[in-house]
Amino acid sequence: MKIGIILGSIREERTGKSVAEWVEQQARERQDATYELVDLKSFDIPLLTSATVPGAANKIYEDERVQRWSSAIDSYDAFVFVTPEYNHSVPGGLKNAFDSLGDEWADKPVAFVSYGAEGGVRAVEHWRQIVANFRMFGVRQQISLSLFTEFGPEGVRPAERRTEEIATLFDQLEQATRRFSPVEAGA
């Protein structure tokens, strides 16, 4: 089971980098899945301008950056979205990257780790509606980190309870991934 931890901020000196690294560090303890950090910024996804609707592209895209993004996302069985909240919603860069693909997302479980002034909870609520379009299963457990109480000059400083909470998030995500994984022919 291969799970991508998607660092969803593309800003310079982004707060999310320390959050994604913390998630990755917590995931190293897991035995039943491999977790990998996927830095959206490294893909340099262009704005969605293609005349071909991503859902009809059959995973073949005109722009090589989108094709590379497609191959990366398609290789994962599930995801953890590390998402900031921008203006009470999802970050534009991650939403554009999500919209640039189609079937690569379909039927895969997803978990959310958010951060913001209110913990990023409004971004997660929007993400839950967005991912439902691709029949993605969003696990119940989420981590919502407060910029006021869980960050310092060096980045994220999660509250002590977060270690147990993220273990629950991983448990739910791995269980959902097993449950929703496609049945192999002849199995």
Side-chain angles (χ1 to χ4, degrees), residues 74-140:
D74 203 33
S75 73
Y76 293 102
D77 301 306
F79 305 97
V80 176
F81 283 12
V82 176
T83 183
E85 180 179 306
Y86 293 167
N87 299 313
H88 293 206
S89 191
V90 302
L94 182 52
K95 178 64 165 77
N96 179 70
F98 186 87
D99 290 344
S100 293
L101 303 181
D103 289 338
E104 295 87 344
W105 301 112
D107 302 311
K108 295 179 181 179
V110 61
F112 302 96
V113 175
S114 62
Y115 57 96
E118 298 296 329
V121 296
R122 294 169 290 214
V124 172
E125 289 307 309
H126 288 171
W127 275 121
R128 289 186 186 282
Q129 293 175 4
I130 293 163
V131 302
N133 187 54
F134 285 101
R135 302 171 313 278
M136 296 177 79
F137 177 80
V139 301
R140 173 69 178 94

Side-chain angles (χ1 to χ4, degrees), residues 7 9-14 39-44:
L7 170 49
S9 174
I10 58 173
R11 295 176 107 164
E12 296 299 323
E13 299 182 31
R14 56 210 159 137
D39 188 346
L40 174 60
K41 188 173 184 170
S42 70
F43 289 87
D44 191 28

Side-chain angles (χ1 to χ4, degrees), residues 113-173:
V113 175
S114 62
Y115 57 96
E118 298 296 329
V121 296
R122 294 169 290 214
V124 172
E125 289 307 309
H126 288 171
W127 275 121
R128 289 186 186 282
Q129 293 175 4
I130 293 163
V131 302
N133 187 54
F134 285 101
R135 302 171 313 278
M136 296 177 79
F137 177 80
V139 301
R140 173 69 178 94
Q141 181 72 20
Q142 69 187 51
I143 307 295
S144 302
L145 301 165
S146 170
L147 288 176
F148 298 117
T149 61
E150 296 182 277
F151 288 85
E154 301 301 315
V156 69
R157 294 180 309 176
E160 190 175 309
R161 73 178 194 271
R162 300 300 188 187
T163 303
E164 185 175 321
E165 291 173 352
I166 200 156
T168 300
L169 181 144
F170 292 144
D171 288 344
Q172 290 179 7
L173 185 59

